[in-house]
Amino acid sequence: MTLARTRGVALVGVDGHLVDVEADLGQGVPSYVLVGLPDTSLSESRDRVRAALVNSGLRWPATRRVTVNLSPASLPKRGSSFDLAIAAAILEAQGDVPPGAFGDAVLVGELGLDGRVRSVRGVLPSVAAAARAGVRSVVVPAADAAEAALVPGVRVTGVSSVRELVARARGEEPPEEAAGDVVRLDDLDGPGGLVTPEGASVPRAAGEKAGSADPDPMVDPHRMDLADVLGQATARYLLEVAAAGGHHLLMLGPPGAGKTMLAERLPGLLPALDDQAALEVTTVHSVAGTLARAGGTPLLTRPPFQSPHHTASVPAIVGGGSHVLRPGAASLAHRGVLFLDEAPEFAPGVLDALREPLESGEITVARLSAQVRFPARFQLVLAANPCPCGLATERDAACSCTPMARIRYLGRLSGPLLDRVDLRIEMRAASRADLHGDPAGAEGTAAVAARVLAARERMAARLAGTPWRVNAEVPGHVLRREWRLPWDVVAEAEQLLDRGALTARGVDRVCRVAWTLADLAGRDRPDAADVRVALDSRGSTRRAA
């Protein structure tokens, strides 16, 4: 047999597409030809595959013309994840494994020159795409087996070397590999270690309950206690409101007031991700290559926290790249928190690039070669000083900034961006009374998180049967149609609209915050006092005055 076919997956953003990998060993001048719109790293697979086979004690068809075709040819293919599928097709074409040994399985993995199968990015979305296409068997690097097993209904086989792949294809006992810290097959649960039965639920690490913390670097914000923040009662309360309703937040205050401390403790107030959201978040981080793979399942069950530096570029925030399109910080914060400290120091183009995802919950990156979509349903938290020197407080004797410098500094936060921010906190500097107060009297994260969870449960009951999870996600037209508030409740907000002190979007956002205040208070509907608090928290009444 001189022709064989295996299958791989091409990723475009977070979406996978099945690819047929065909290998033909023909007569003619010995050569290796790869066709099907490969990029540079994929074209280099020739040398990786050849060295991997030879160094594994297997044959390389050195006297034949090797043609490898990746179909569909019109779909761009990138990266080294096709190495394993190409090697398997060549091995089957030259008779080193039985015909049809790989069946309809999808193979994903990069080869080292010594024949080891190395970890690759995007295993989770690749396996998910294969499952949607009806594939029930996948072969992945052993180090990525736990990630692949997150997809239910797929039989996952992890291999650590080409020799192990060949042995399994022949039905032989896999060789012992000195793989160091590579995850072995029998380290995982299930028959044979890597079989996820049909209809199985999302697996979790041993002893882990739904919503428990991950052994992941991003878990640190979830361990910070809100009791560490001194004073700032109003800011703490509005942080609780933001956590309950998923509202965007701006904190304005002098250095040392606690803006960063509050933002870092927001993830600890948020409920754990449900299974669907956890898979969405894990998929994005899999494509970005930021998953922790040391022990247990890589499933991210806690809301992520991203805090990019103010020198970050537009592609670093919203995603992109010159060759390979990858998710940015906004997508890595999907279902979590995107914190922009020193927000006015960010380039105006970077800040304004967030306006669309704040409304739509996704980012579409368009390039000449491809257009990809990344999910980006994040909670935005902005922190800013009141002026360039940061000393323009109620005790601003030391501030040397001119009034025009203050206006220009905060003017870097555009009106359309601020119109999408529901809550705005003007924080004061910490006083001596705050520093010497009784720390035991400060309410901790656990108590606040319990109230947030209770409010989220009320929202979930009200929004059952809809695609929205929290009040901040409900579109304005749906809010007015399904949960319309009486005139006497929203009268003040609509009067501000008539006077131009509030936009139509602002009215919708005020109503969303009012619903969150009612949910936190355990009431069925908001009242006029809730709307008033929402207006004050937005700063609309001060602007009108």
Side-chain angles (χ1 to χ4, degrees):
M1 182 177 183
T2 62
L3 177 65
R5 181 185 68 88
T6 58
R7 293 202 284 185
V9 176
L11 285 178
V12 181
V14 294
D15 300 319
H17 304 270
L18 240 59
V19 173
D20 287 333
V21 180
E22 301 171 310
D24 176 72
L25 309 184
Q27 302 295 330
V29 178
S31 60
Y32 179 94
V33 179
L34 178 63
V35 296
L37 214 56
D39 71 344
T40 302
S41 61
L42 181 50
S43 298
E44 293 170 347
S45 64
R46 170 191 59 190
D47 299 315
R48 291 194 299 271
V49 172
R50 178 173 55 188
L53 294 183
V54 172
N55 291 328
S56 298
L58 301 167
R59 294 184 299 157
W60 171 259
T63 62
R64 310 295 289 272
R65 175 182 172 85
V66 181
T67 303
V68 176
N69 177 47
L70 307 177
S71 178
S74 59
L75 180 69
K77 292 93 179 172
R78 299 181 175 89
S80 57
S81 61
F82 288 94
D83 287 2
L84 194 61
I86 293 173
I90 292 175
L91 288 169
E92 185 175 335
Q94 65 183 2
D96 286 342
V97 297
F102 302 106
D104 290 330
V106 163
L107 296 93
V108 177
E110 176 184 332
L111 293 181
L113 299 185
D114 58 354
R116 295 190 187 277
V117 182
R118 294 178 174 172
S119 175
V120 293
R121 297 182 179 188
V123 167
L124 178 58
S126 297
V127 176
R132 287 194 299 269
V135 175
R136 290 294 173 260
S137 179
V138 297
V139 180
V140 300
D144 296 327
E147 179 182 342
L150 296 176
V151 180
V154 178
R155 184 180 188 277
V156 180
T157 301
V159 295
S160 57
S161 68
V162 174
R163 290 195 302 157
E164 182 177 347
L165 176 69
V166 172
R168 290 183 177 276
R170 293 173 177 172
E172 302 171 355
E173 186 69 21
E176 290 293 332
E177 303 287 348
D181 58 355
V182 170
V183 178
R184 300 300 305 167
L185 302 184
D186 52 7
D187 290 337
L188 302 177
D189 295 332
L194 285 173
V195 178
T196 303
E198 293 284 345
S201 60
V202 177
R204 302 181 185 271
E208 179 187 4
K209 297 181 180 179
S212 64
D214 307 277
D216 186 271
M218 291 188 304
V219 78
D220 289 340
H222 305 101
R223 294 176 178 170
M224 297 180 180
D225 201 317
L226 192 60
D228 299 334
V229 181
L230 303 175
Q232 305 298 355
T234 301
R236 289 165 57 96
Y237 175 67
L238 291 183
L239 189 75
E240 179 180 341
V241 174
H247 303 289
H248 307 306
L249 177 68
L250 167 65
M251 294 182 286
L252 184 67
K259 303 186 296 294
T260 301
M261 291 183 68
L262 285 168
E264 290 176 341
R265 283 151 180 78
L266 176 57
L269 303 180
L270 301 178
L273 302 174
D274 58 30
D275 285 346
Q276 179 183 350
L279 285 175
E280 291 176 4
V281 173
T282 306
T283 295
V284 175
H285 285 262
S286 175
V287 171
T290 59
L291 284 182
R293 305 181 186 275
T297 172
L299 185 70
L300 301 179
T301 61
R302 296 295 304 172
F305 179 80
Q306 293 290 314
S307 180
H309 193 262
H310 67 262
T311 57
S313 63
V314 172
I317 298 295
V318 302
S322 56
H323 299 291
V324 180
L325 302 181
R326 302 218 181 274
S331 293
L332 294 174
H334 179 59
R335 300 295 180 190
V337 177
L338 176 64
F339 175 46
L340 302 185
D341 201 2
E342 306 294 346
E345 300 294 342
F346 282 81
V350 172
L351 296 174
D352 288 336
L354 295 174
R355 285 153 53 178
E356 292 85 350
L358 286 178
E359 292 289 335
S360 64
E362 64 179 27
I363 293 173
T364 301
V365 180
R367 296 292 185 269
L368 183 62
S369 59
Q371 178 173 301
V372 302
R373 181 196 63 84
F374 296 118
R377 181 70 67 182
F378 57 86
Q379 191 169 352
L380 179 65
V381 178
L382 304 171
N385 293 326
C387 65
C389 75
L391 300 178
T393 64
E394 64 275 7
R395 299 167 297 184
D396 59 352
C399 178
S400 59
C401 302
T402 64
M404 183 56 64
R406 298 181 188 181
I407 294 174
R408 188 181 300 113
Y409 180 73
L410 292 179
R412 295 170 68 91
L413 303 176
S414 68
L417 175 64
L418 292 179
D419 198 34
R420 292 166 168 83
V421 177
D422 303 337
L423 302 171
R424 304 172 192 179
I425 309 172
E426 294 184 9
M427 300 173 61
R428 59 173 178 79
S431 65
R432 180 165 47 178
D434 294 331
L435 294 178
H436 296 284
D438 181 12
E443 198 171 28
T445 292
V448 178
R451 292 198 298 269
V452 169
L453 181 59
R456 288 282 184 107
E457 290 173 349
R458 294 188 188 96
M459 293 177 207
R462 185 172 62 252
L463 300 176
T466 72
W468 309 294
R469 304 171 183 231
V470 292
N471 291 330
E473 297 178 2
V474 182
H477 66 277
V478 176
L479 197 66
R480 291 188 295 273
R481 184 179 65 244
E482 302 294 335
W483 296 285
R484 189 178 187 86
L485 297 177
W487 159 253
D488 59 332
V489 173
V490 297
E492 186 174 2
E494 296 194 0
Q495 289 169 1
L496 291 173
L497 174 65
D498 292 338
R499 292 156 55 186
L502 199 61
T503 65
R505 179 190 288 117
V507 173
D508 291 340
R509 293 187 174 274
V510 165
C511 291
R512 293 170 188 163
V513 173
W515 275 103
T516 300
L517 293 170
D519 288 328
L520 280 170
R523 289 183 271 105
D524 292 335
R525 297 177 68 86
D527 55 24
D530 293 324
V531 173
R532 175 72 186 195
V533 172
L535 287 170
D536 288 341
S537 302
R538 188 178 175 82
S540 301
T541 53
R542 291 188 292 276
R543 286 203 306 274

